[in-house]
Amino acid sequence: MPYEVQTPVFEGPFDLLLHLIMREQVDLYQVPLVHIVDAYLAELERLDVVDLEVATEFLLIAATLVELKARRLLPGRDDVDLDDELALWEERDLLLARLLECKTFKDAARALAALGDDAARSWPRVAGLEERFLDVAPDLLAGVTAADLKAAYLRAVAPKPTPTVSLEHLHMVRANVADAVAELVDELPRVGRISFRRLTSSLIDRLEVVVRFLALLELFKQGLVDLDQASSFGDIEVVWLGGATADGDGDEFDAFDIGDDLVTTALAGIDRYDG
Amino acid sequence: MTTSAVHRAVEAILLVAEEPVRPDLLAQLLEVPTSRVDEVCDELAASYRDSGRGFILSRVAGGYRFQTAPDLAPYVERYVLEGQTSRLSGAALETMAIVAYKQPLSRAQVAAIRGVNVDGVMRTLQQRGYIEEVARDPGPGQAVLFGTTTLFLERLGLDSLDGLPALAAFVPGPEVMEALEAGLRVTPDDRSLTTDAEGEDDDGSEDAGAEPGVGRGVVDLRDE
Amino acid sequence: MTTSAVHRAVEAILLVAEEPVRPDLLAQLLEVPTSRVDEVCDELAASYRDSGRGFILSRVAGGYRFQTAPDLAPYVERYVLEGQTSRLSGAALETMAIVAYKQPLSRAQVAAIRGVNVDGVMRTLQQRGYIEEVARDPGPGQAVLFGTTTLFLERLGLDSLDGLPALAAFVPGPEVMEALEAGLRVTPDDRSLTTDAEGEDDDGSEDAGAEPGVGRGVVDLRDE
C-alpha cells in the first residue's frame, strides 16, 4: 500500500508518531517499515545537528517502532524469551503513556488558544490616571539613586539568560524497572497493604510513576503482590503476598535479572535523562 | 456611604485602574465588606449588560476591570492598530498548557512530556510574561520551577487557575486509546494483516480491553 | 448601522482610548457623519449624568473621553495613594534606565533591548512625567523617540544627564567569555576563527557533538 508520509514540521518524536497513528487511522504495521524509518530520518535531517537530545529521542522511537513492528510480523514462537517479551511490553506502554500525554496536552493547548482568542476580542481599559491625579500619585522614583539606575541598565543589556551549562539536565528522572522492583521489594513487606497513589505520592515525574507501575505488574506476575482496582479510574490497592522479609530476593528475581539488560535497554528513553 | 455611592466609587476607581482591581482592595478603600464589593460589581455588570453598553465589567485574574464588549471587536480593532499581541506558535501553546496544568514544574519535566528540548520555547513564554520562575525544586540540583503568571490569566480571560477547563476533559477517549494501542500492538494478532481498524470484531475489542489496564492506569495517575 | 450600535461602538472605542478621540476620527471609524458622532456623544454623556454613573463623558482638547466624576475624586485619590504600587518594579526600572542611557530611542528599540513589550511601562513613565517624546525618527515610519525629562533629573538629584554614572566599557564575565569561546569551537562553519585557540584538528565538528550544552548557551547569547 503506497503510503505518503507528509510531515509538516513536527515538534518532536511524539508529535510525529501521534500524527502517523492518528491522522491516517493507519495501522502502523501495514505501512512498509522503510516508510516509517524514512519519515523519521527525514525529520532527523531537519534537526539542528547540535541538538543531540532531540535527535536521540527520534532515533530511540524509530528503533522502538522497528522492533515493535518486527516483533509483530514474526509468527508466534513458543520459545520467545519472556523477559524480551516483557521488556517490549514495557517499552510499548511507556510509548503509549507518552503519546497519550502528548495528545492530552495538544488538545488542552487548543482549548487554551480558543480561550485566548475569545478573551482577545475584549480590550481592557488601560488609560490610567487623569492629569489631575498625577500630583497625588506617589513618586515612583523615590529612593532610586543614579547608581541603581546604572545597575538596572547593566542588568537590562546583559546577555540573558546567563549562559551557564544547565545543571538541570542532571536532575532528571532516574528510573528503571529493575530498580523500582528492588525498591518495592524492600518497601512493600514493611507496609503490607498500600494504595498505589500513596505508594507513588513522593514521585514527581510521571515516568517514575509509570515505571513503578510496571514494576508492580512484574511483581504481580510473579505472584508477590495482589492488585485490586475497585472501580475503573479508582485507586489501586496493593497487597504484599511475598512473605515477611525481602531476604533472598536475588534468588526470586533470577528470571528478572536475566532480562535486566533488556529492561535497561528498553528504558533507555528514561535513562537518557540521567544526564 | 449609601448604596449608589459605592456603585459610583467602584466605577470611578475601575476607570483609572490599569490592571484588575482586587475586591478586597476596593473594600478597604471604600470601607465596606468585600462581599458588598462583589455584590456591587455583579449589579454593575448586570446593568451594563441589560442596558446594552459598549463596555462590560468583568472579573479577571482575581480582580475587576472594564473591558470592551466582545461583539464590538471589529470597531475597536480599527482604532487599536498596535498593541496586538502576536499569536503563540503551536509548540509554545502546548508548552504553556503543560506549565498551566502541571505547575510548578521544571524545564526538564516539561521537556520530558514534550519529548523535545523546550529551552527556547520556555524562554519565549517567559519573555512574553506568560510564565515565570515560581520556586526551586528542593531536591538535588535545585531546578528552577515554573508557573503561570497573572498576565497569563488576563490573556485567557480567567479569574483564576480554577477556571482552566479540567484536564480530564482532554484525556483521549477510548477510541483514541484503542487506535493508539492498535498502532503499537506488540504481538501478531490472528487477523489478517490487511484488515484495518474498521474490521474489528468482538475478539478485537476484547483484545483492546484486555491490556488497557496499563494505559488507563497511566491516564488515571496523570489526572491526580 | 443602527442608532444603538453607534452608541455602543463609541463607548467601546472611548474605553480603550488613552487620549481624547477626535469626533472626525470616530466618524471615520464608524462610517457615520461627524455630526452624528457629536449627537451620540451628547446623548451618552446625558445618560451617564442622568443615571448618576461614577464616570462622565467629556469633551477635552478637541476630543471625547471618559473621566471620573469630579465628586468622586477623594476615592480615586485613595486608590492612587493606597492601591497602586508606589515603586517601580525591577523591570520598569530597567526600562527607565535604558531610556536614560540610550536616549533618544523609540519604544520598539526599548522593547528590542528588554525582549518584551514595554508599552505599558513606557506609558506609565510618560504619564508620571519621567520620560517624554523628544523627537521623531527621520527614517520611514517616523517612530516617536523618547528621552528623559527635567523632572526625572530632579528626582534623581542630577544637574544634567552628564551626571549619570559612566558605564565602563562592557566586559562580559569569565563564564560568558568561556561560553563564547566554546561556541566558536563548536560551530563548524566558523572553524577558521578557532585556529588561534585550537590550532589544529579537523575534528572540530565532532566537538560540536561533544558539547551540546555549551553550544546551547551560545545560541542563547545570539538570541538576544
Side-chain angles (χ1 to χ4, degrees):
Chain A
M1 142 185 183
Y3 185 76
E4 192 87 8
V5 182
Q6 288 166 349
T7 56
V9 178
F10 286 102
E11 293 304 335
F14 301 130
D15 221 24
L16 174 57
L17 186 54
L18 201 57
H19 177 81
L20 285 174
I21 297 178
M22 297 305 298
R23 187 192 64 171
E24 304 292 339
Q25 297 266 299
V26 78
D27 185 340
L28 272 189
Y29 299 97
Q30 292 179 44
V31 180
L33 197 57
V34 65
H35 286 205
I36 301 174
V37 176
D38 278 353
Y40 271 93
L41 291 181
E43 279 311 303
L44 265 182
E45 274 175 25
R46 277 184 229 255
L47 295 172
D48 180 350
V49 281
V50 174
D51 203 341
L52 278 184
E53 223 173 294
V54 177
T56 312
E57 188 84 60
F58 268 91
L59 280 178
L60 174 74
I61 291 192
T64 307
L65 285 179
V66 170
E67 189 175 353
L68 285 173
K69 180 173 169 108
R71 176 61 60 98
R72 179 141 173 279
L73 290 178
L74 292 176
R77 294 186 337 224
D78 294 335
D79 60 342
V80 170
D81 185 329
L82 279 182
D83 291 321
D84 280 1
E85 195 66 37
L86 174 69
L88 201 56
W89 274 105
E90 287 174 357
E91 201 165 347
R92 187 207 76 138
D93 288 338
L94 275 177
L95 206 50
L96 190 58
R98 300 186 76 167
L99 282 177
L100 285 173
E101 193 155 53
C102 181
K103 175 102 175 83
T104 301
F105 283 110
K106 244 181 180 344
D107 292 346
R110 215 167 287 137
L112 294 194
L115 278 180
D117 285 347
D118 282 351
R121 297 175 54 74
S122 184
W123 280 261
R125 177 165 175 90
V126 290
L129 294 177
E130 295 150 30
E131 310 79 30
R132 64 195 170 115
F133 296 112
L134 291 177
D135 291 342
V136 187
D139 178 16
L140 293 176
L141 287 177
V144 173
T145 66
D148 293 338
L149 202 69
K150 176 184 170 181
Y153 178 77
L154 291 179
R155 238 183 6 252
V157 299
K160 289 169 287 196
T162 319
T164 49
V165 176
S166 171
L167 295 179
E168 282 176 37
H169 299 83
L170 299 179
H171 174 66
M172 277 295 206
V173 192
R174 203 177 270 279
N176 66 49
V177 175
D179 289 350
V181 165
E183 283 167 26
L184 288 174
V185 167
D186 177 57
E187 189 175 348
L188 286 176
R190 276 185 277 123
V191 296
R193 168 187 286 267
I194 188 171
S195 77
F196 184 68
R197 208 172 287 277
R198 279 194 55 201
L199 192 59
T200 54
S201 60
S202 66
L203 304 180
I204 298 168
D205 194 278
R206 201 84 12 207
L207 281 179
E208 289 180 289
V209 178
V210 172
V211 166
R212 274 227 155 177
F213 187 76
L214 293 172
L216 268 184
L217 287 185
E218 170 63 19
L219 293 176
F220 180 72
K221 209 176 90 182
Q222 302 196 19
L224 291 170
V225 298
D226 191 23
L227 300 177
D228 182 36
Q229 187 172 25
S231 59
S232 58
F233 292 95
D235 207 352
I236 301 167
E237 202 62 25
V238 182
V239 183
W240 175 254
L241 303 174
T245 69
D247 291 347
D249 50 0
D251 295 340
E252 282 168 22
F253 289 100
D254 270 355
F256 192 81
D257 288 343
I258 294 170
D260 210 24
D261 285 345
L262 268 170
V263 171
T264 311
T265 311
L267 297 173
I270 304 170
D271 290 343
R272 191 176 58 76
Y273 292 114
D274 280 357
Chain B
M1 199 180 204
T2 72
T3 302
S4 94
V6 179
H7 288 79
R8 300 184 70 232
V10 167
E11 287 183 320
I13 291 173
L14 295 187
L15 194 81
V16 299
E18 293 178 51
E19 47 193 39
V21 185
R22 302 181 53 86
D24 51 347
L25 173 61
L26 285 170
Q28 179 198 322
L29 297 173
L30 306 182
E31 293 167 16
V32 296
T34 307
S35 58
R36 181 81 189 106
V37 169
D38 287 328
E39 251 172 55
V40 164
C41 287
D42 284 351
E43 285 164 18
L44 285 174
S47 93
Y48 300 150
R49 206 167 38 234
D50 295 345
S51 52
R53 293 279 166 217
F55 46 80
I56 59 177
L57 194 159
S58 67
R59 173 141 185 164
V60 175
Y64 293 100
R65 73 174 180 192
F66 279 122
Q67 290 178 191
T68 58
D71 64 302
L72 297 171
Y75 298 107
V76 179
E77 267 163 15
R78 293 184 194 174
Y79 176 76
V80 187
L81 291 176
E82 50 186 320
Q84 303 270 46
T85 35
S86 52
R87 296 184 53 126
L88 292 173
S89 70
L93 275 170
E94 279 172 40
T95 304
M96 197 169 75
I98 292 169
V99 175
Y101 282 102
K102 295 289 172 188
Q103 59 188 308
L105 82 176
S106 71
R107 212 179 265 130
Q109 287 171 319
V110 180
I113 293 175
R114 299 257 307 130
V116 294
N117 183 308
V118 294
D119 292 1
V121 175
M122 293 282 280
R123 196 166 50 239
T124 303
L125 289 174
Q126 213 179 344
Q127 277 181 344
R128 294 274 203 100
Y130 296 136
I131 66 173
E132 63 188 350
E133 301 181 3
V134 294
R136 288 255 169 198
D137 188 339
Q142 307 244 307
V144 174
L145 302 180
F146 291 85
T148 51
T149 61
T150 316
L151 181 67
F152 166 82
L153 291 176
E154 280 184 38
R155 283 295 152 79
L156 260 62
L158 297 176
D159 186 27
S160 74
L161 287 175
D162 294 338
L164 283 174
L167 188 58
F170 306 112
V171 172
E175 66 302 334
V176 175
M177 298 265 297
E178 251 167 57
L180 287 176
E181 283 187 333
L184 294 175
R185 248 170 302 165
V186 172
T187 45
D189 60 11
D190 298 334
R191 288 177 281 160
S192 143
L193 289 178
T194 57
T195 312
D196 60 17
E198 277 88 29
E200 78 188 6
D201 49 16
D202 282 352
D203 285 349
S205 42
E206 268 178 33
D207 255 9
E211 323 291 355
V214 175
R216 292 267 163 72
V218 170
V219 173
D220 184 18
L221 296 170
R222 209 172 7 165
D223 252 346
E224 89 213 344
Chain C
M1 199 182 204
T2 71
T3 302
S4 93
V6 180
H7 287 78
R8 300 183 71 230
V10 166
E11 286 184 318
I13 291 173
L14 294 187
L15 191 84
V16 297
E18 290 167 30
E19 42 196 47
V21 187
R22 302 176 52 86
D24 52 346
L25 175 58
L26 283 169
Q28 184 195 325
L29 294 173
L30 305 183
E31 293 164 21
V32 296
T34 308
S35 58
R36 180 83 189 103
V37 169
D38 287 328
E39 248 172 59
V40 164
C41 287
D42 284 350
E43 285 164 19
L44 285 173
S47 95
Y48 300 150
R49 206 168 37 233
D50 295 347
S51 52
R53 292 280 165 216
F55 46 80
I56 58 176
L57 195 158
S58 64
R59 178 142 185 165
V60 179
Y64 292 102
R65 77 166 180 192
F66 280 120
Q67 279 180 205
T68 53
D71 63 304
L72 297 170
Y75 296 107
V76 178
E77 282 174 15
R78 274 184 105 156
Y79 169 71
V80 171
L81 284 172
E82 298 172 35
Q84 291 200 309
T85 44
S86 54
R87 293 194 48 191
L88 284 182
S89 68
L93 189 59
E94 283 180 28
T95 301
M96 180 77 246
I98 291 168
V99 176
Y101 277 100
K102 307 275 280 188
Q103 59 188 302
L105 82 175
S106 71
R107 210 181 266 130
Q109 286 171 315
V110 180
I113 296 173
R114 293 256 308 118
V116 291
N117 181 310
V118 294
D119 292 359
V121 175
M122 294 282 280
R123 190 173 53 236
T124 303
L125 294 176
Q126 195 179 2
Q127 260 191 351
R128 295 305 179 88
Y130 302 136
I131 66 174
E132 63 187 350
E133 301 181 4
V134 293
R136 288 255 169 194
D137 189 339
Q142 307 244 308
V144 175
L145 303 180
F146 291 86
T148 51
T149 60
T150 345
L151 178 67
F152 164 80
L153 292 175
E154 276 173 26
R155 289 289 152 85
L156 254 73
L158 301 174
D159 285 338
S160 74
L161 285 174
D162 296 338
L164 283 175
L167 299 168
F170 180 65
V171 181
E175 72 291 344
V176 177
M177 291 306 293
E178 219 170 90
L180 277 173
E181 279 169 18
L184 292 178
R185 237 180 294 130
V186 299
T187 309
D189 298 347
D190 295 346
R191 215 179 307 157
S192 58
L193 292 175
T194 69
T195 40
D196 296 345
E198 298 223 344
E200 6 56 358
D201 57 37
D202 292 335
D203 298 332
S205 52
E206 279 184 21
D207 281 351
E211 293 172 285
V214 177
R216 221 171 291 130
V218 172
V219 173
D220 289 353
L221 280 176
R222 282 196 210 123
D223 271 359
E224 292 311 312

